[in-house]
Every structure is written in C-alpha cells, then in structure tokens.
Amino acid sequence: MDKLVIDLRGNGGGMMNEAVNIVSAFVPKGSLVVSSKGNSLVGEQQFKTSLEPVDLELPVVVMVDSGSASASEIVSGALQDLDRATIMGTRTFGKGLVQSIRPLPYNGQLKVTSAKYYTPSGRCVQAIDYSHRNEDGSVGHIPDSLTHEFKTAHGRIVRDGGGITPDVKIEGREYSRLVYSLVVNGVVEQYAMEFVKTHESIPAAKDFHFTDFDSFVEFAKGKEFDYRSSARTYFDQMKKQLEKDDLASSMSGQLAAMEKALEMDKETFLRLKKDEIIPFIEREIVIRYWFQEGGVEVDIRYDDALRKALSSPLI
C-alpha cells in the first residue's frame, strides 16, 4: 500500500472507543486522542491509545465534509493535531458535546450536556455558534478574532471555532435539484428494481456501465416528482412575493417572458442532466447484484474529490 484514505465524509460519528482504536493504528501507544472537560462534578477525562500501532510511516489522508461529526471529528482532529494525517475536504460539523444520562421517575431518562470534547492540541470540537448554521448544517464563517490558535505536534498553527478545518480544502460535487428529487422520490430506486427483473446478471461492478438512458427517461416521465430547476423554484417564490406586494400586475410582461425562458419539460431536463443522473442509476443497479462493496466501486469511479486528494502533492 502506498497511501491510505479514511473517508469520513457524511459520517455522523459512533462509539468513542472505536474512534480511539482507529487513531491507535497510526500513532504510538499511549498517545492522547481526545479529552473531555466539564464542570467540577464531571471533571476531565483523557482517552489515550492502548494498542500497538499498525504503521507509523504510511501516508494517511482523512476526507471530511460538513456531515462529518462527533467521533469522526475526534479521529480527524487527533490525526491532524498529531501531524499523522493530511485532512482534506471541507470543515466538519462541529459536534463536540458530551451527554450524560440521568434517570427520572416513571422509567424516564434525561440527557444532559455535561462536558465538551477537546483534541490533543486543546481545541474544542464544538462550534462556537451552533444555533446559526448554513443550509447544509455546516458552521458559518467565524472571524479569527473569535477563535484561538493552537499548535500541532510539529508546531503547525490550527484554530478552534467549530469543527475541524481541513489542511487542504476540496469542495464536494454539487448536484442539481432534479437529481435530488429523483433520488428522494425513489424514481432511481424503482427503475433499478425494474431493471433487475429483466436482467439476470450484469458484469462485475468495475466493468458495468449503464448505457440505456432512453429507457430511464421513458420510465421517469411516467412518475410523479418535482422536476423544476432551482432557478424555476426561486422564480415561483419571487412571483408569490410580488403578488403579495401588488407588483405582479405591473410587471406581468417581464414575468411572462422570464417564466417562458425558464420553462422546461420533464424529458428535456432529464436529458440535460444525464451525466449527473447516470452515476446514481449505476450504483442502485450494481448494489442489487454486487451489494455494498460493488456500490463503493461505483462511488469511487465518479469521486472527483477523492481523485484530487490522491493527486495532492502533500501526500
């Protein structure tokens, strides 16, 4: 193996002990992974590696995004602070709170926030302002004046303020509103089920490529889903506001022209977004023959962020 990628994108976390075990594979035994600090009743706890490492030299990349939270941030934050991995992607969610369970009468339970998690350098994982977030749940911009500097094992400066900031920023791929609608409404999944009924087998996952897009278009045309573009939804919202403000009638000509320009039938829009849709169709079909392992192979095939990470000169 030349290098290892730990993909924590969209990983909302899990068990603390497993996060420590993952880090322990790459750092010396006894290394501090994370600590929790609370009030005087809770005190401070330190979690250190207790296993012998598997490898201390292999280049490691950890990929994160705004969906990486909690235990995922512990892994990425520890490996970054210990200068053992290069963190790539976008800033993580910023969930660094410790909850304690307190029993209540009548078999009730109360979950109380009792401490916060801190990386080896002393950074708090929790977002400073977690009540105001972007639409995707990520932390908004926090000025440096509200953050503090910390240093990694080799003296690199890192900051707190919410989540783990990557060493290398790599934006994930953005998909159109149409693709989200096809997936959320189960159109792609339903088509894959119909495909399986008429195809006893397919090539290996790495060799399978979906080519019958015309049949998908015909199938999708008969399904109910919102196929408006993002621009059209914004137009519809704007039009409603203009009507509320009694401005729509005076702008009827401009509105009619814009509405006509934005109008697009279902088939035309589906064909326009063909390159975006096909990866989702391929994955849904492949996992029905080659299960989740095959689905991962399809994901990797179209993962531009992963290719950028692997080609980075920093690893």
Side-chain angles (χ1 to χ4, degrees):
M1 186 185 295
D2 295 322
K3 62 193 71 170
L4 172 68
V5 175
I6 302 175
D7 189 357
L8 297 180
R9 291 172 295 177
N11 188 313
M15 302 297 292
M16 165 68 75
N17 63 314
E18 293 304 329
V20 175
N21 287 341
I22 290 173
V23 175
S24 70
F26 310 103
V27 300
K29 183 178 178 180
S31 298
L32 176 64
V33 175
V34 65
S35 60
S36 63
K37 301 177 184 178
N39 56 31
S40 58
L41 295 177
V42 178
E44 178 178 352
Q45 283 185 297
Q46 291 189 339
F47 300 86
K48 298 182 179 181
T49 60
S50 59
L51 303 175
E52 292 294 338
V54 176
D55 192 295
L56 296 175
E57 303 296 333
L58 179 72
V60 178
V61 171
V62 180
M63 299 195 68
V64 296
D65 62 11
S66 61
S68 307
S70 192
S72 293
E73 294 174 296
I74 290 171
V75 171
S76 54
L79 292 175
Q80 184 180 51
D81 282 1
L82 298 173
D83 284 307
R84 183 59 187 90
T86 303
I87 314 301
M88 298 188 179
T90 54
R91 188 163 58 177
T92 61
F93 186 81
K95 195 279 184 187
L97 299 179
V98 182
Q99 281 86 36
S100 300
I101 305 298
R102 299 286 184 265
L104 294 175
Y106 306 104
N107 295 321
Q109 300 287 336
L110 176 66
K111 181 182 284 189
V112 181
T113 297
S114 54
K116 293 181 179 181
Y117 284 126
Y118 295 81
T119 67
S121 68
R123 289 182 293 166
C124 183
V125 175
Q126 182 64 30
I128 288 178
D129 184 4
Y130 49 89
S131 60
H132 299 88
R133 293 184 177 272
N134 299 323
E135 289 184 2
D136 64 352
S138 60
V139 183
H141 174 70
I142 299 174
D144 287 349
S145 60
L146 296 179
T147 64
H148 305 88
E149 285 188 0
F150 298 84
K151 291 187 177 181
T152 67
H154 292 168
R156 293 189 303 118
I157 294 176
V158 290
R159 289 183 173 273
D160 62 2
I164 304 300
T165 300
D167 302 306
V168 179
K169 186 174 182 179
I170 299 177
E171 295 287 352
R173 181 175 180 179
E174 293 188 4
Y175 293 94
S176 64
R177 188 176 185 277
L178 173 67
V179 172
Y180 283 110
S181 186
L182 288 169
V183 173
V184 170
N185 288 281
V187 178
V188 174
E189 182 181 15
Q190 293 167 29
Y191 177 80
M193 293 167 63
E194 292 299 319
F195 182 95
V196 171
K197 292 178 183 178
T198 57
H199 296 77
E200 185 176 346
S201 64
I202 63 171
K206 63 183 179 64
D207 299 320
F208 175 74
H209 294 273
F210 180 71
T211 56
D212 193 8
F213 193 70
D214 288 341
S215 68
F216 174 78
V217 171
E218 289 302 314
F219 178 85
K221 282 167 57 179
K223 300 297 178 182
E224 289 294 328
F225 63 95
D226 187 352
Y227 61 92
R228 293 177 299 164
S229 65
S230 296
R232 178 56 194 263
T233 59
Y234 285 127
F235 171 81
D236 291 342
Q237 293 171 17
M238 179 189 69
K239 189 174 180 181
K240 287 181 181 179
Q241 292 301 319
L242 289 171
E243 290 170 350
K244 286 182 180 180
D245 294 337
D246 297 323
L247 295 172
S249 57
S250 62
M251 301 176 63
S252 59
Q254 297 95 318
L255 290 174
M258 185 176 294
E259 185 170 8
K260 184 177 180 180
L262 292 172
E263 189 63 45
M264 188 178 298
D265 64 77
K266 189 182 292 186
E267 179 175 354
T268 301
F269 202 15
L270 286 167
R271 294 190 182 281
L272 181 66
K273 296 299 180 180
K274 176 181 176 180
D275 291 341
E276 282 188 33
I277 298 170
I278 282 182
F280 289 90
I281 300 175
E282 286 187 359
R283 189 183 193 284
E284 283 293 334
I285 290 175
V286 164
I287 61 176
R288 282 162 173 76
Y289 295 92
W290 301 106
F291 311 109
Q292 294 300 327
E293 184 177 348
V296 171
E297 287 201 47
V298 175
D299 290 340
I300 291 174
R301 179 188 304 166
Y302 295 103
D303 197 335
D304 294 334
L306 176 60
R307 279 191 285 275
K308 290 178 183 178
L310 290 173
S311 62
S312 172
L314 296 180
I315 60 172

